[in-house]
Amino acid sequence: MRSRTRTRTNLRVAAVVAALLGLLVPLLGLSAPAQAAPTGFRVQNGRLLEASGNDFVMRGVNHAHTWYPDRISSFAHIKAKGANTVRVVLASGDRWTRNDTADVANVVSQCKQNRLICVLEVHDTTGYGEQSGAATLARAADYWISVKSALTGQENHVIVNIGNEPYGNSNYAAWTADTKAAIQKLRNGGFNHTLMVDAPNWGQDWAFTMRDNAASVFAADPDRNTVFSVHMYGVFNTAAKVNDYLNRFVAAKLPIVVGEFGHDHSDGNPDEDAILATTQQLGLGYLGWSWSGNSSDVGYLDMVTGFAPNQLTSWGRRLFDGANGIAATSKEAAVYSGGGGGDTTPPTAPGTPTASDVTSSSARLTWAAATDTTGVTGYDVVRTGGTETVVTSTTGTSVTLTGLAPATAYTWAVYARDAAGNRSPRSGTVTVTTSSGGSPASCGIGYKVTSQWAGGFQGEIVIRNTGTSAINGWTLRWTFPDSQRISNLWGGTAAQSGAEATVTSVSYTAAIPAAGSVTLGFTASSGTTNPSPTAFTLNAANCSVA
């Protein structure tokens, strides 16, 4: 699926039909050599197997975690609908706010707590070659290597989908070489996971680049442990096209899943009944797009309204409860249901945190360590009250929280995680009120929403230097009052941990003369309400807000 804020480019029907007719040629010589000894999921004879040897057929949905990081409860809700897999949207930081190692570890933990297999994908590659700003597969591979510590040892539970829809409809012939190189980079980087690769042409492979080069890509993986993923939207508008494409992979004994599909789309009307029936007949996996949070132009692809699990849309009812749907055909992974073993015992709860060094914009938390039979690997600090939000993660038993609003009450708690990704019960809570601190006389902030749409908005922040001397380099911090999440920002470098947002200056905005100002712009996701922040600090000093 393209980014939530773009509409898929309509393909010319005649061109697509011609391509489909002209390129429907047999896949020759597509035999799959034996793979290396598995450490988790593996491919054998064209099938995806768990380490236990059980055949695993994905039945699940896509969840836009990177744009809605506070919707952690979605994992439990998706599981409750019968899914055995969730494909999780992540960002490398090239186009959207980066999901760091701690966040990836938390996602894996959520999957495991809810007995779901995690398919993790980098979305920044979407439409490379056609979409401005899209990242390469090489960049996506670098991202996976940078968060490797969150994934090592999770081969039984995690499949790494290298990059979402790499290549649009321009220069897509380069997909083959780039995909091979990305696979090899990850193997050289020590990844033993099953890898998944998306097709070019916005995932739809209408030119059959993936189909006709799948054998050589599979052979380029020294582990012979790569799964292919096609996204079925308007190109796959008849049962004949669905059947032909999937059956060619099955005949060649090459693993294929439908990594995304919908019941409708702006580029045509996919045959969802055929997709569901054919995958069930062939024993192939499918992952529908998407749980909730699509932008208004593709809002009809939401399975539930506003992330509310009991408000199924017509698409949600079809996918979960219809013929060949998730409820009727999904089987839980053996690693959870007893066929694969594994550590499922969580750590004990950490001690209730205590606060110290409280200022107008920061506080230090310290807590007693949790215990675990296989060892505690980290702690998640959460802000409670309403929606629980992960503020930060650490491997130690203390942390200093910054970017807090002055004269504001905060309530925090801590979870522990072990090497298997199990999460402990929550610690007791501690409530802290920051001091009024600093003078508001040296800076002023203007914050406004310039445009808004379902699930997102564009905002503007004006930083005014109201002091008598120039500011040279700055860091702006604030706390979003709801579930807002920055997706793109210009005029600075943005980072966000839970509700806490931080922007640092870039070369052309670093200097603010006395009585001068700089303007930042950004786009962000939001929930049903979009209240404005009420407090900002600039270089740790409180600013007036107008």
Side-chain angles (χ1 to χ4, degrees):
M1 185 70 182
R2 292 190 182 191
S3 79
R4 300 170 304 110
T5 57
R6 296 195 72 247
T7 302
R8 192 179 300 270
T9 304
N10 289 328
L11 299 173
R12 293 184 175 87
V13 174
V16 174
V17 172
L20 289 168
L21 294 175
L23 293 170
L24 287 175
V25 294
L27 292 170
L28 301 175
L30 299 184
S31 59
Q35 69 286 337
T39 57
F41 278 103
R42 70 185 188 273
V43 171
Q44 183 174 302
N45 203 31
R47 305 293 301 170
L48 178 63
L49 306 181
E50 294 189 64
S52 61
N54 295 64
D55 198 47
F56 183 71
V57 180
M58 295 181 196
R59 289 288 182 266
V61 304
N62 289 262
H63 170 51
H65 170 75
T66 198
W67 301 307
Y68 299 99
D70 298 329
R71 300 289 186 174
I72 293 297
S73 60
S74 294
F75 290 90
H77 297 156
I78 289 166
K79 176 63 178 182
K81 296 298 183 189
N84 63 18
T85 306
V86 59
R87 181 172 180 257
V88 184
V89 179
L90 300 176
S92 61
D94 290 279
R95 293 180 67 187
W96 294 284
T97 302
R98 182 179 185 273
N99 298 96
D100 61 16
T101 303
D103 189 42
V104 174
N106 188 43
V107 166
V108 174
S109 175
Q110 289 296 322
C111 286
K112 295 173 71 173
Q113 285 182 57
N114 291 291
R115 304 166 74 88
L116 292 163
I117 296 303
C118 255
V119 177
L120 305 178
E121 61 102 339
V122 166
H123 215 74
D124 306 62
T125 57
T126 306
Y128 177 74
E130 182 178 349
Q131 174 62 61
S132 175
T136 64
L137 282 170
R139 287 283 295 171
D142 289 338
Y143 169 77
W144 292 121
I145 292 170
S146 76
V147 298
K148 180 184 173 186
S149 62
L151 303 174
T152 299
Q154 305 299 333
E155 292 86 352
N156 280 317
H157 302 89
V158 173
I159 292 171
V160 176
N161 190 174
I162 302 177
N164 182 69
E165 297 181 1
Y167 282 100
N169 295 321
S170 300
N171 303 316
Y172 52 81
W175 174 91
T176 302
D178 287 353
T179 301
K180 291 178 180 179
I183 290 170
Q184 290 165 352
K185 177 179 278 194
L186 289 176
R187 295 304 184 210
N188 291 338
F191 275 75
N192 299 314
H193 303 70
T194 296
L195 302 178
M196 183 182 289
V197 294
D198 281 9
N201 305 129
W202 299 100
Q204 298 204 73
D205 202 27
W206 62 264
F208 302 127
T209 304
M210 184 174 82
R211 191 199 70 178
D212 294 344
N213 292 281
S216 67
V217 170
F218 188 82
D221 179 358
D223 289 359
R224 306 298 192 266
N225 197 14
T226 297
V227 173
F228 298 91
S229 173
V230 63
H231 295 179
M232 290 189 165
Y233 293 106
V235 168
F236 293 91
N237 57 356
T238 68
K241 293 173 185 176
V242 172
N243 274 280
D244 182 84
Y245 191 91
L246 296 178
N247 271 286
R248 286 175 183 264
F249 278 83
V250 171
K253 297 190 182 302
L254 287 169
I256 182 75
V257 300
V258 181
E260 287 185 23
F261 72 108
H263 68 302
D264 196 8
H265 209 275
S266 57
D267 68 358
N269 185 9
D271 191 337
E272 69 277 11
D273 292 335
I275 295 167
L276 290 163
T278 304
T279 51
Q280 178 63 16
Q281 176 192 2
L282 298 175
L284 302 178
Y286 63 69
L287 302 165
W289 185 278
S290 71
W291 177 246
S292 197
N294 287 285
S295 54
S296 57
D297 55 332
V298 287
Y300 49 81
L301 289 173
D302 281 0
M303 297 170 190
V304 299
T305 301
F307 292 92
N310 296 322
Q311 296 183 26
L312 284 168
T313 64
S314 59
W315 169 223
R317 289 192 295 274
R318 174 66 187 94
L319 183 67
F320 287 112
D321 300 329
N324 303 304
I326 288 172
T329 65
S330 176
K331 295 182 180 179
E332 186 174 78
V335 71
Y336 298 123
S337 56
D343 175 16
T344 59
T345 302
T348 62
T352 300
T354 59
S356 61
D357 302 329
V358 179
T359 71
S360 63
S361 61
S362 65
R364 182 171 179 81
L365 300 182
T366 305
W367 56 89
T371 60
D372 184 76
T373 56
T374 60
V376 174
T377 58
Y379 295 90
D380 298 325
V381 179
V382 298
R383 183 179 178 185
T384 66
T387 301
E388 190 174 271
T389 303
V390 176
V391 176
T392 189
S393 296
T394 180
T395 56
T397 56
S398 64
V399 67
T400 298
L401 304 176
T402 59
L404 309 180
T408 301
Y410 292 87
T411 301
W412 291 295
V414 182
Y415 292 91
R417 288 180 282 103
D418 65 15
N422 300 306
R423 200 183 196 197
S424 75
R426 197 177 76 181
S427 74
T429 62
V430 59
T431 299
V432 175
T433 300
T434 54
S435 60
S436 56
S439 168
S442 62
C443 57
I445 301 296
Y447 178 99
K448 67 178 180 179
V449 173
T450 58
S451 62
Q452 194 162 333
W453 53 91
F457 69 102
Q458 181 170 322
E460 178 184 276
I461 299 174
V462 178
I463 305 173
R464 301 182 183 90
N465 181 358
T466 58
T468 58
S469 60
I471 296 171
N472 292 296
W474 49 263
T475 299
L476 179 70
R477 291 188 172 93
W478 72 91
T479 300
F480 278 119
D482 195 21
S483 57
Q484 298 99 325
R485 182 79 177 182
I486 296 172
S487 54
N488 191 28
L489 182 139
W490 47 101
T493 301
Q496 189 169 342
S497 179
E500 317 297 331
T502 302
V503 179
T504 54
S505 58
V506 292
S507 59
Y508 60 91
T509 61
I512 311 176
S517 66
V518 296
T519 300
L520 313 177
F522 67 95
T523 56
S525 58
S526 64
T528 53
T529 61
N530 187 21
S532 298
T534 57
F536 294 81
T537 65
L538 190 72
N539 294 341
N542 299 326
C543 300
S544 60
V545 181

